[in-house]
Amino acid sequence: MEPDWIAGLIGGLMIGGAAALFLLLNGRIMGASGILGGLLDGTGRSNSAERLAFIAGLIAMPALLVAVGLGHAAQPVAGLGLTVLAGLLVGIGTRLGNGCTSGHGVCGISRLSLRGIVATLVFLVSGAVAVLILRLLGMVA
């Protein structure tokens, strides 16, 4: 079996390639929160089928890879309540930050966007601080 870094490299290349194709073909940034947000707030009605297909792919592809033995199912590190709370906080954060890691991190940094670079640094530092606090409180391993 290949080392984990190879799978990470391949996954990163696939995400970067998909982001580049999305920008070239659609003229828009491939930010997952913006794509989902447009469905939820109604601003993406004109291309809702494309948005739904994108979100469905985000959900279905990892499940498919695990089902055919090409991926590994992750074990939950927290209970359902904490996971739901974390998801809600991430959703709020993406609205406050005008995007998520796929928009700012993948697309923003690759376009040398100062806003994307700063946002990604804030995401990384905030995530590290959150994990440190939760570990100190004994809420995650």
Side-chain angles (χ1 to χ4, degrees), residues 113-129:
S113 162
L114 180 60
R115 183 176 129 185
I117 293 167
V118 171
T120 303
L121 290 172
V122 170
F123 296 154
L124 291 172
V125 171
S126 299
V129 169

Side-chain angles (χ1 to χ4, degrees), residues 16 51 71 79 83 89 92 96 99 106 115-117 121 125-126 130 139:
R51 290 171 185 265
T83 301
L89 290 173
I92 293 167
L96 292 174
V106 176
R115 183 176 129 185
I117 293 167
L121 290 172
V125 171
S126 299
M139 297 177 78

Side-chain angles (χ1 to χ4, degrees), residues 66-138:
V66 169
V68 299
L70 295 175
H72 305 286
Q75 297 301 316
V77 296
L80 180 61
L82 189 57
T83 301
V84 169
L85 175 63
L88 291 172
L89 290 173
V90 167
I92 293 167
T94 60
R95 281 298 185 184
L96 292 174
N98 292 321
C100 61
T101 52
S102 61
H104 287 300
V106 176
C107 301
I109 290 175
S110 65
R111 294 180 304 111
L112 301 178
S113 162
L114 180 60
R115 183 176 129 185
I117 293 167
V118 171
T120 303
L121 290 172
V122 170
F123 296 154
L124 291 172
V125 171
S126 299
V129 169
V131 168
L132 177 64
I133 291 170
L134 291 174
R135 283 192 176 165
L136 288 172
L137 295 174

